[in-house]
Amino acid sequence: MKTVLVLFGGKSSEYEVSLLSASSVVRNIPREKYNIVTLGITRDGKWRLFEGDTDKIESDDWIPGSLKAYINIDYGSKQVIVEDGRIIDVDVCFPVLHGRNGEDGTVAALLTLAGIPFVGCDNLAGAVCMDKAVTNALADYENVPQAKWLKIDKFEYADNGSAFLNDCFEKLGCPVFVKPANTGSSVGVAKASGKEELGNAIKEAFKYDKKIVVEECIIGREVECAVLGSINPTVSVVGEIKPANEFYDYDAKYKNDSSVLLIPAPLDEKTSGEIRSLAVKIFKSLNCTGLSRVDFFVQSDGKVKFNEINTLPGFTPISMYPKLFDECGIKYPDLIDRLLNSAIEREA
């Protein structure tokens, strides 16, 4: 049997989401094919080998008793070294890490140095897709339809904040959405309809990142499409979200079970086909591999607008990515198996 290393936690605003996703992944890895090693990263960035019950990961009670451990970065070693002297050989890694210091390409670079095959995008694609300003710029270059947008960093904002506030409403309309450039799970995202509200939203977003993006508000249905693979990726059916809150924010995604997922989305065949084609185009244009979830809006006139791409989407029991492929006949354990095999084959 092969040994899979599952990374979870992380120094990120999405730490809790990672615990939920990783717990679900560990429970669904086919035990007849894989041995499992779980390596957690605390909120403050310390690495620990966890050998207890998976429920303790989900409840964030995994740290007590865990031993210091780290990945050996000697190229090709494929090892986890533990403080008690053990050396654990691994064949492949599933880095179930959301947000900064994980999904943004940093851990992908570390695993590349260690020669460990891993699920997901390489460090370049991870960094590009994590940064909403870079993603939006490349989407514009590829003529992908999307909302109008502006970006600014906190240093520019300190010098020209008033002018930027004026630009937002003049160029993007009202209301607008404010987003930290490098977070996921809608962390730090807010809707603003006036200058004071916009200023407060920007101030809040800067708590999560030095750069923020302000986008035109697109009124439309929120739909998502999952992509799996590399050279000839598999694309799922389209799913639609009916958020519990005004928009699909962190609470609606992970805490409020009133949000409704419609799978497949009630769309005509032409619109569904356009979304699926755009999802693959964006996936390939951004050099993604392994998996991504691509999000769109469908406006009342039928026009489709790209919203964002997630290179490590949620893997909780209620997450859209595994549910979309379940609708396609790929059950959760089989989906994980395909992701792990794809990672190994990519590095062969």
Side-chain angles (χ1 to χ4, degrees):
M1 290 199 299
K2 294 190 181 298
T3 297
V4 55
L5 172 65
V6 177
L7 292 180
F8 67 89
K11 190 174 169 59
S12 163
S13 57
E14 297 172 77
Y15 171 87
E16 292 90 349
V17 183
S18 173
L19 300 187
L20 296 175
S21 290
S23 301
S24 186
V25 168
V26 170
R27 292 186 183 113
N28 284 279
I29 291 176
R31 300 303 174 103
E32 70 277 9
K33 293 184 177 182
Y34 300 96
N35 295 314
I36 302 170
V37 176
T38 47
L39 188 59
I41 306 170
T42 66
R43 291 177 187 271
D44 56 354
K46 294 181 173 61
W47 293 59
R48 298 286 186 271
L49 179 70
F50 175 69
E51 299 179 288
D53 190 278
T54 305
D55 289 347
K56 290 190 174 183
I57 297 176
E58 187 169 5
S59 63
D60 196 13
D61 191 31
W62 64 274
I63 299 173
S66 298
L67 298 175
K68 292 180 181 179
Y70 60 92
I71 292 172
N72 182 356
I73 60 170
D74 288 344
Y75 190 87
S77 67
K78 299 183 181 179
Q79 294 173 339
V80 172
I81 299 177
V82 191
E83 67 172 325
D84 62 7
R86 282 180 291 161
I87 296 177
I88 302 173
D89 295 320
V90 299
D91 297 293
V92 62
C93 178
F94 196 146
V96 193
L97 301 167
H98 303 298
R100 300 185 83 172
N101 305 305
E103 191 179 351
D104 58 359
T106 50
V107 170
L110 173 65
L111 293 168
T112 300
L113 286 175
I116 300 175
F118 58 90
V119 171
C121 295
D122 66 15
N123 56 304
L124 175 60
V128 164
C129 294
M130 189 70 196
D131 190 311
K132 293 178 178 64
V134 177
T135 300
N136 287 356
L138 289 173
D140 280 343
Y141 178 80
E142 294 286 347
N143 295 314
V144 172
Q146 64 177 344
K148 293 179 289 185
W149 60 284
L150 295 171
K151 70 173 177 67
I152 196 167
D153 65 41
K154 68 177 184 180
F155 307 106
E156 294 170 325
Y157 188 73
D159 292 335
N160 300 294
S162 181
F164 182 74
L165 293 177
N166 289 331
D167 280 349
C168 287
F169 291 123
E170 288 177 9
K171 296 179 179 179
L172 307 179
C174 181
V176 294
F177 276 97
V178 179
K179 302 177 179 181
N182 288 278
T183 63
S185 296
S186 300
V187 173
V189 175
K191 187 178 181 180
S193 298
K195 278 192 177 180
E196 183 177 356
E197 192 175 19
L198 177 58
N200 290 336
I202 289 172
K203 183 179 179 181
E204 181 67 19
F206 277 137
K207 292 179 181 179
Y208 299 97
D209 196 1
K210 292 183 289 187
K211 180 168 62 176
I212 62 104
V213 171
V214 182
E215 295 179 350
E216 168 193 17
C217 178
I218 300 293
I219 305 299
R221 298 159 64 182
E222 298 184 47
V223 299
E224 302 183 345
C225 198
V227 186
L228 167 67
S230 297
I231 299 172
N232 295 304
T234 300
V235 60
S236 74
V237 299
V238 180
E240 182 175 359
I241 299 159
K242 298 287 188 182
N245 300 335
E246 184 180 5
F247 64 96
Y248 202 40
D249 60 7
Y250 185 93
D251 178 77
K253 287 179 179 178
Y254 301 109
K255 296 181 179 180
N256 191 333
D257 60 6
S258 297
S259 293
V260 176
L261 306 183
L262 303 177
I263 304 173
L267 296 166
D268 61 76
E269 189 174 335
K270 179 178 179 295
T271 304
S272 292
E274 181 183 356
I275 291 166
R276 296 174 78 240
S277 294
L278 272 175
V280 173
K281 177 181 179 178
I282 293 163
F283 184 84
K284 288 184 173 181
S285 296
L286 298 175
N287 202 38
C288 294
T289 52
L291 75 163
S292 289
R293 194 196 69 234
V294 193
D295 303 348
F296 300 89
F297 295 110
V298 179
Q299 297 176 281
S300 58
D301 59 4
K303 290 182 180 177
V304 175
K305 295 285 183 72
F306 169 55
N307 181 18
E308 63 181 17
I309 185 169
N310 295 272
T311 57
L312 203 295
F315 261 82
T316 72
I318 63 170
S319 293
M320 183 67 98
Y321 188 91
K323 282 183 171 292
L324 287 170
F325 276 117
D326 183 77
E327 178 68 21
C328 298
I330 304 174
K331 301 303 180 185
Y332 200 135
D334 295 330
L335 177 61
I336 295 174
D337 187 37
R338 287 182 61 160
L339 287 167
L340 294 171
N341 278 318
S342 176
I344 294 169
E345 290 168 2
R346 194 171 74 228
E347 297 300 317

